[in-house]
Amino acid sequence: MPSMPGLLATITEKSFGHRAAVTAAERISPHFLTVDLRVEPLKSGWKAGQDIQFRIDNNTFRHYSVMAVDEAGTAISVLFHLGADGPGSRWAAALDVGREVVVLGMNTPVPSRQGNHLYLGDGSAVGTIRGLVNRAAGQDTHGPASGAVEAPVEDRSALVDLLPGIEILPAATIPGAAVAEWIEATLDEAVRYDAASLFGHAQSIQRQRRILLTRAGLARKAISTKPYWATGKTGL
Ligand SMILES: Cc1cc2nc3c(=O)[nH]c(=O)nc-3n(C[C@H](O)[C@H](O)[C@H](O)COP(=O)(O)OP(=O)(O)OC[C@H]3O[C@@H](n4cnc5c(N)ncnc54)[C@H](O)[C@@H]3O)c2cc1C
């Protein structure tokens, strides 16, 4: 629901919204911003990796993800990739301490992870992948996470610490090119994966899925995909 009439947006916000306040906002690198929010508890509990939405103006919502939750379930962190020239990115970049916002927390299932898992994505998926990897790290049925994320080269050092075990590749001009090249180059190793989660640019995910199915031998049901943005579209 990226855009809707103002009255409907207000009803939606009231039905699913939880009041929150920004407690910290830090630009960790040129294109990445972490924002910590004190937030009303969600009945089913906030979960790292969960989809959330913010109403960024009268008619418009944008999707983001919970990167981390504190033990009390009343503070969450979100990692914004300020890589789009759109209203969501401008709204996020202007968030500062004390600002009150509403977080829409639908009860979306967080993908489960079995065995050795491959994560692929771009800047928009760093927070999600960090959240999912950290959740899984507490469960001893899971092997180590690996994978690759492409991001602007000048952000690399900030992201390396957030995603240990995941390659941070310098993004090329064409979205998805760096990750596709990385999969091709590591195809021999791909057989060791039990499953894969692909996030980020829609057209790149399709390409990655094709390579994993046809060349890396992963089963169709072992690959989950979640497009976060698409060339030529606003607010997926
Ligand atoms: C379930 C879900 C979870 C998400 N979680 C996160 C998250 O945790 N952090 C995060 O940063 N993003 C996340 N996203 C992606 C974010 O919602 C989009 O990037 C969104 O389009 C940004 O809104 P905007 O108003 O800035 O740009 P829009 O108005 O939507 O788009 C403007 C232009 O920018 C392009 N564009 C959009 N996103 C990107 C991008 N990332 N890189 C390059 N070009 C882009 C579009 O194709 C369009 O041409 C998530 C998306 C979904 C669906």
Side-chain angles (χ1 to χ4, degrees), residues 80-169:
F80 293 95
H81 174 217
L82 306 176
D85 182 16
S89 302
R90 286 191 287 276
W91 174 86
L95 288 174
D96 50 8
V97 173
R99 170 84 180 273
E100 299 198 341
V101 299
V102 173
V103 186
L104 279 73
M106 277 72 164
N107 197 6
T108 47
V110 170
S112 66
R113 172 151 95 71
Q114 297 297 321
N116 288 335
H117 203 96
L118 174 70
Y119 290 97
L120 299 176
D122 57 26
S124 65
V126 174
T128 308
I129 295 176
R130 179 177 166 86
L132 294 176
V133 168
N134 276 359
R135 272 167 62 98
Q139 302 165 21
D140 53 14
T141 52
H142 299 304
S146 38
V149 164
E150 61 181 46
V153 69
E154 57 272 32
D155 298 298
R156 186 175 185 279
S157 57
L159 303 186
V160 165
D161 289 345
L162 287 177
L163 295 179
I166 310 252
E167 295 275 344
I168 311 295
L169 309 169

Side-chain angles (χ1 to χ4, degrees), residues 1-2 12 16-18 20 35-42 44-56 60-69 75-80 91-92 95 101-110 124 127-128 226-228 235-236:
M1 51 167 187
T12 304
F16 298 104
H18 294 75
V35 174
D36 298 339
L37 297 151
R38 191 179 56 245
V39 63
E40 291 176 332
L42 183 66
S44 52
W46 298 103
K47 296 181 183 66
Q50 173 183 1
D51 303 349
I52 52 176
Q53 292 187 58
F54 295 102
R55 184 180 183 182
I56 54 142
T60 314
F61 292 86
R62 287 288 183 264
H63 280 97
Y64 291 94
S65 311
V66 175
M67 177 167 72
V69 186
I76 62 172
S77 303
V78 180
L79 183 72
F80 293 95
W91 174 86
L95 288 174
V101 299
V102 173
V103 186
L104 279 73
M106 277 72 164
N107 197 6
T108 47
V110 170
S124 65
T128 308
K226 225 165 168 190
Y228 278 8
L236 276 200

Side-chain angles (χ1 to χ4, degrees), residues 169 177-190 193 211 215:
L169 309 169
V179 168
E181 247 175 57
W182 180 88
I183 311 174
E184 301 271 3
T186 57
L187 269 179
D188 288 349
E189 299 166 35
Y193 299 119
I211 303 174
R215 315 252 324 267

